[in-house]
Amino acid sequence: MAKNPKPKARGYGGLDDWFRKENWVNVQTGGPCGRPSAKKGKKPACRPAAVAAKLTKNQKSAAAKKKRAGAQNVKWPVTASGRRRKPKK
């Protein structure tokens, strides 16, 4: 059997690459996603900039409240690709 070649040193790729291309922003502030210290402050509700721009003011505040409410699924009205979800009946 032939030996597997040594894997090449990987730079950024996959999820890292996708995250950088999408330009993620904080839904409420519109600023960059993240917080200065992991121990201080509220956790931001982040989405790609294109998706965040499509959310209404009420949807943005609801997203931030849901994020702070606890570990539950956030039901976004817009998918990452920008497609609007149909409301559940």
Side-chain angles (χ1 to χ4, degrees):
M1 285 187 148
K3 284 186 174 181
N4 289 338
K6 187 175 181 181
K8 294 180 181 179
R10 285 184 52 176
Y12 293 108
L15 188 58
D16 288 326
D17 194 30
W18 176 75
F19 187 82
R20 283 176 174 69
K21 285 181 189 175
E22 289 293 325
N23 186 26
W24 285 66
V25 295
N26 184 336
V27 172
Q28 260 196 318
T29 64
C33 183
R35 54 189 174 162
S37 172
K39 294 180 181 180
K40 294 181 182 178
K42 300 173 183 175
K43 294 180 181 176
C46 297
R47 298 297 284 164
V51 174
K54 294 178 184 179
L55 296 174
T56 65
K57 186 176 180 179
N58 289 338
Q59 290 170 334
K60 290 177 183 180
S61 63
K65 287 178 188 175
K66 285 181 183 181
K67 178 75 178 200
R68 284 186 231 115
Q72 59 183 348
N73 292 336
V74 176
K75 305 288 190 240
W76 297 95
V78 181
T79 64
S81 65
R83 182 180 59 84
R84 289 215 174 260
R85 288 194 174 108
K86 294 179 184 175
K88 292 185 178 181
K89 293 180 181 179

